[in-house]
Amino acid sequence: MKTNGILTLTTDFSDDIYVGQMKGVIVSINPEARIIDLTHRIKSFGILEAAFFISQVCPTFPPGTVHIVVIDPGVGTKRRGIILLTDRHFYIGPDNGIFHFVKKIENLKKVVEIDMNLFKDACFTFHGRDIFAPVGAYLSSGRKMEEFGKIVDKDTIVSLSLPEGCIIYIDAFGNIITNIKKEFFYGDKLIIKYGNKKVKATFARTFSEVKEGEYVVLRGSSGYLEVDKNKSSAADELAAKTGEKISISRAS
């Protein structure tokens, strides 16, 4: 697959100096690169949050896009850096679980383990700038992924260990996205259990089908069940956190 010149960046760097440094490296190698910031506000070390985020955003881009993802609490350790080729895109980043959902929804064709010896001067704590950004820039300019390491078994990519009934993402509105795909009928009365809290909700098509401030369970655009409150934050009300268990069941 040919790259199309678009590179996206997803990090937990916020507005710090690191994003600008990565961009400087990219355009120094490929001045024609079109860099698109997806987000730099992933929660610090938020691998699960990032994994879900890129699985929802990256597939909307045209074929041949290069996605660089840097949420890397294990930077400088023996964790691998990898390049993934799917049937639509290239993904570059640490092999720490951030590609957990991507490999489920896109057809994974090839994986290369980046040869760190090609980047002997890389800072131990900033592989985003010194390894992943250069690899992405070179790929976007036409270099082959095999030039950066050896092909490895696709099944060796790190997956996240998630229980059935887990909060995988909380959006800016405080909507709680779970990994639950249970089937309910619209109008069903439900019970949500989170920690020592238990609340009542209604299964509906959209938020406004319940009164303002009431809990509602929707099948969101991701296909997973969401726990929401109409015009309020379910996450704040429940003090919910990503990665923790949650259950949704019919009221008896």
Side-chain angles (χ1 to χ4, degrees), residues 223-235:
Y224 292 111
L225 295 185
E226 299 181 9
V227 177
D228 311 321
K229 288 191 80 175
N230 186 16
K231 295 185 180 179
S232 187
S233 170

Side-chain angles (χ1 to χ4, degrees), residues 164 178-184 219 222-225:
E164 176 67 26
T178 76
N179 65 347
I180 300 170
K181 287 192 171 183
K182 283 183 180 178
E183 296 294 333
F184 296 109
R219 191 168 303 282
S222 66
Y224 292 111
L225 295 185

Side-chain angles (χ1 to χ4, degrees), residues 67-70 80-83 91-95 98-99 114 132:
H67 302 288
I68 302 174
V69 188
V70 187
R80 302 186 299 182
I82 55 176
I83 309 168
Y91 292 86
I92 303 166
D95 185 20
I98 54 175
F99 302 118
I114 297 172
F132 302 135

Side-chain angles (χ1 to χ4, degrees), residues 19-87:
V19 176
Q21 290 176 320
M22 288 181 64
K23 290 181 177 181
V25 168
I26 290 168
V27 296
S28 294
I29 294 170
N30 181 9
E32 303 301 317
R34 296 168 58 194
I35 303 173
I36 298 177
D37 298 290
L38 299 188
T39 186
H40 300 293
R41 295 189 175 277
I42 297 293
K43 183 179 178 181
S44 297
F45 322 121
I47 293 172
L48 174 56
E49 178 184 346
F52 179 77
F53 179 92
I54 64 170
S55 76
Q56 299 302 298
V57 179
C58 294
T60 66
F61 279 77
T65 300
V66 176
H67 302 288
I68 302 174
V69 188
V70 187
I71 291 81
D72 197 10
V75 64
T77 67
K78 292 183 178 180
R79 71 94 185 92
R80 302 186 299 182
I82 55 176
I83 309 168
L84 279 65
L85 172 64
T86 73
D87 54 351

Side-chain angles (χ1 to χ4, degrees), residues 158-221:
V158 172
S159 294
L160 300 175
S161 180
L162 302 176
E164 176 67 26
C166 176
I167 298 172
I168 56 177
Y169 192 80
I170 297 172
D171 70 16
F173 297 97
N175 299 323
I176 300 169
I177 301 173
T178 76
N179 65 347
I180 300 170
K181 287 192 171 183
K182 283 183 180 178
E183 296 294 333
F184 296 109
F185 295 106
Y186 292 118
D188 277 354
K189 301 303 179 183
L190 307 177
I191 297 294
I192 300 160
K193 294 181 181 179
Y194 174 72
N196 60 0
K197 300 181 178 72
K198 183 167 71 172
V199 298
K200 297 178 181 180
T202 302
F203 186 60
R205 294 177 179 83
T206 190
F207 309 97
S208 59
E209 291 182 5
V210 301
K211 293 179 181 178
E212 189 170 325
E214 289 186 347
Y215 284 95
V216 59
V217 173
L218 312 173
R219 191 168 303 282
S221 58

